[in-house]
Amino acid sequence: MVALLLLVDSGHFIFGRMLLPYLPPTASSFYYMTLALIQIAIFAAVRRQIDWRVLRDNAWFFIVIGFLIAVATSTSFAAVVYIDPGTASLLARMGTIFGLAFGIFWLKERLTRGEQAGAFLAVVGVFIISFQPAAEGSNALLGTLLVLTSTFTYAMHAAIVKRNGGEIDFTNFLLFRMMTSCFFLLIFTIGRGELVWPSGIEVWLILLLTATVNVTISRSLYYMVMRRIELSILTVLLTLTPVITIFWSMLLFGERPSLQGFVGGVAVILGVILVTLSKRNGQAGEAAP
């Protein structure tokens, strides 16, 4: 299950790059999320699990996380206009650091020395990637900012869900989460003047593949694995995702991170691993008699 999760989780920026020749990033995000919503709605309807009271009783919760997910999705797909999927995937590992920041400023947690060192190393890696010489027609700094915006808003959504969404039935949670996300993505797409109809069977097949793999399968596996292993271990395992993303990027598009981008990405990953292991060791120390 972990191996399959790594495989499907590595595809997010790859799918964004595949859809780029066919649709604007915001439009492609809206269409593939809508297809995923239809899949989840059919599943819930067949099992007679749809409960509209869940949406009514938690309206503001779903509105907030729907908006954050819409921002995260659209900005992550826009990032591959400026940087390759491998570099974007390396940067996206900053989600662990952002999650740590929410713990500090929201939950008033304290950092161990290992966590401080890991966070510093990851931030250094971001700066290395951001300020590398831009190739012709690219803008590494803008691409970096888009990925960081995406990662930050997704981490914020995760913190809100962790704090307020634990008691909501999972099927209805996923259904209404997707519904509000699609609503905001539609607003973003119309607002940017990018609401164009996908033309051709090829783009529809890619959108369907993206919806099935990147949402329906990926998120289901993520929550199933989370229930079976410790979250800290899962976080470390998911740092392997960029390796697979770089492989797919080279195979499909002939794109790979620059040397400077690779060095910065390695610093991000090492920082994330250091933070995660330090937190795990700290929790084990607290639990010891």
Side-chain angles (χ1 to χ4, degrees), residues 163-176:
R163 190 180 181 95
N164 301 300
E167 302 301 321
I168 301 175
D169 170 70
F170 178 71
T171 300
N172 283 284
F173 162 76
L174 191 59
L175 175 65
F176 297 128

Side-chain angles (χ1 to χ4, degrees), residues 48-264:
R48 299 181 178 179
Q49 291 182 324
I50 299 178
D51 185 353
W52 292 99
R53 292 173 298 179
V54 173
L55 178 61
R56 182 195 65 192
D57 295 341
N58 301 276
W60 280 110
F61 169 77
F62 285 113
I63 289 171
V64 171
I65 66 170
F67 174 78
L68 292 172
I69 293 170
V71 172
T73 304
S74 58
T75 51
S76 64
F77 268 36
V80 294
V81 175
Y82 306 102
I83 55 177
D84 65 275
T87 301
S89 183
L90 289 166
L91 280 167
R93 296 304 98 195
M94 281 294 293
T96 300
I97 308 300
F98 290 141
L100 188 66
F102 282 120
I104 296 168
F105 296 107
W106 191 4
L107 304 178
K108 306 302 181 182
E109 297 176 351
R110 293 184 177 181
L111 289 181
T112 65
R113 290 183 179 180
E115 290 169 342
Q116 291 174 3
F120 176 77
L121 183 59
V123 171
V124 169
V126 169
F127 276 99
I128 292 174
I129 294 173
S130 301
F131 297 103
Q132 58 182 309
E136 183 179 355
S138 69
N139 191 324
L141 177 57
L142 180 55
T144 298
L145 291 176
L146 287 169
V147 175
L148 292 180
T149 299
S150 170
T151 307
F152 178 81
T153 52
Y154 199 84
M156 184 182 294
H157 129 270
I160 294 172
V161 170
K162 185 72 173 178
R163 190 180 181 95
N164 301 300
E167 302 301 321
I168 301 175
D169 170 70
F170 178 71
T171 300
N172 283 284
F173 162 76
L174 191 59
L175 175 65
F176 297 128
R177 165 191 185 270
M178 295 293 299
M179 187 177 297
T180 52
S181 299
C182 290
F183 171 75
F184 283 110
L185 281 170
L186 176 61
I187 292 176
F188 295 167
T189 306
I190 294 174
R192 293 176 60 88
E194 295 181 354
L195 188 59
V196 294
W197 187 253
S199 178
I201 187 64
E202 185 174 1
V203 64
W204 279 108
L205 290 175
I206 298 174
L207 286 169
L208 181 60
L209 179 65
T210 305
T212 304
V213 175
N214 200 40
V215 179
T216 306
I217 295 177
S218 176
R219 294 306 87 190
S220 298
L221 277 172
Y222 178 80
Y223 289 109
M224 289 170 65
V225 171
M226 185 186 293
R227 293 181 179 183
R228 287 165 171 79
I229 64 177
E230 295 179 14
L231 183 59
S232 59
I233 299 297
L234 177 59
T235 303
V236 174
L237 290 172
L238 288 176
T239 59
L240 297 173
T241 298
V243 177
I244 307 174
T245 303
I246 291 171
F247 170 77
W248 285 119
S249 183
M250 292 172 58
L251 181 66
L252 296 173
F253 314 118
E255 298 176 348
R256 68 183 71 186
S258 65
L259 178 60
Q260 187 172 338
F262 181 77
V263 170

